[in-house]
Amino acid sequence: MSGCFLPANMNDIDSAMCQRVRALGFSGIFTRFRDNDPLTTPRADAERLKSLLSGEGVQLFQTTGYWQNLVTSDEAARAQSVRVLQAALKLAGWMGARGIDTGPGSMNPAGPWFPHPDNWTARAEAQLIRSLKECAKAAEDAGVFLSLESHSLVTPRTPEIAARILDAVDSPWVRCDYDSANWITLETIYDTTGALNAHFDLLGRHICSAHAKDIWVENRLAIHLQDGCPGKGLMDFETLFTRLEGLDPDYPMIAEGNSTEELPEVSALFHATASKLGIRVLDTDERPEIAK
């Protein structure tokens, strides 16, 4: 599970939260510790969290890369973004995380996932490749996957572009965090099965985790595709589960787009889907080492 009742500060996670995660039927978490600056957070804070999660049997599958602007032509700004991302990888390693999630950033000052024409230039793509290459060694040293999340509004706006970028980086530690909704278009919204299969056929060698998010088209006169809670839209989760399981049974499927109140129904949907497909889910009393 991701977000919801999980706090913005790692020091606020306690045993009760961990037990709530497991009681809801989830084996691990994706955290966004926005309050913990990766450049200044003490290692002791991270190791306290690692010990707590281990003791409670909660896996830290993913944490945030702080969504830096890795595509900017401003070299000073790009270099600082790389430093933050490298520090985020080190911090994630101290926490015992399997990976971090980062987008490429955006030239839109309103937010890292918002559109801007400069996001889709050859220069932005080259800058992203350069930034990821500069972080590959930090990922390897930390033993943490640097998982690039993509979207149609940012530089890797198609799976073809994402594959080209990751091929150019050419590191086993720089991978794809596949979000089920982020590349769905008006052309594929009524055939998410075909879209998922095409994406996995193209990118499977790079994928190491997935965000399970739903999507639907709204009744408006301007095109609006809305993402959100799993089970509310048109996403083919059976195909998503099947394709991720086919890559590696240890790769995490992370629920996204739902509220805290919706977690029980999302958990029920995911467990029912896995059961139908014969996919084994970790029991709540299992505490395996996170596969890397």
Side-chain angles (χ1 to χ4, degrees), residues 41-158:
T41 297
R43 181 169 185 166
D45 289 356
E47 291 183 341
R48 180 207 73 87
L49 176 68
K50 179 180 179 180
S51 177
L52 172 66
L53 296 178
S54 176
E56 295 293 343
V58 173
Q59 307 286 318
L60 183 54
F61 285 117
Q62 203 168 62
T63 189
T64 181
Y66 296 89
W67 301 289
Q68 302 303 301
N69 187 344
L70 304 173
V71 303
T72 179
S73 295
D74 181 331
E75 275 303 305
R78 192 196 65 82
Q80 177 61 16
S81 292
V82 167
R83 283 192 289 271
V84 172
L85 188 53
Q86 290 170 338
L89 287 159
K90 180 182 285 189
L91 179 60
W94 291 345
M95 289 188 285
R98 178 183 185 272
I100 68 168
D101 172 82
T102 187
S106 173
M107 295 304 296
N108 188 327
W113 295 104
F114 293 154
H116 192 282
D118 290 346
N119 288 346
W120 307 313
T121 63
R123 174 65 172 169
E125 185 174 325
Q127 290 292 79
L128 178 56
I129 291 169
R130 182 180 176 193
S131 298
L132 294 174
K133 282 185 172 181
E134 291 175 6
C135 292
K137 183 62 165 55
E140 181 178 3
D141 289 346
V144 171
F145 287 126
L146 195 176
S147 302
L148 178 67
E149 184 173 355
S150 302
H151 194 284
S152 58
L153 299 181
V154 293
T155 301
R157 60 188 174 89
T158 68

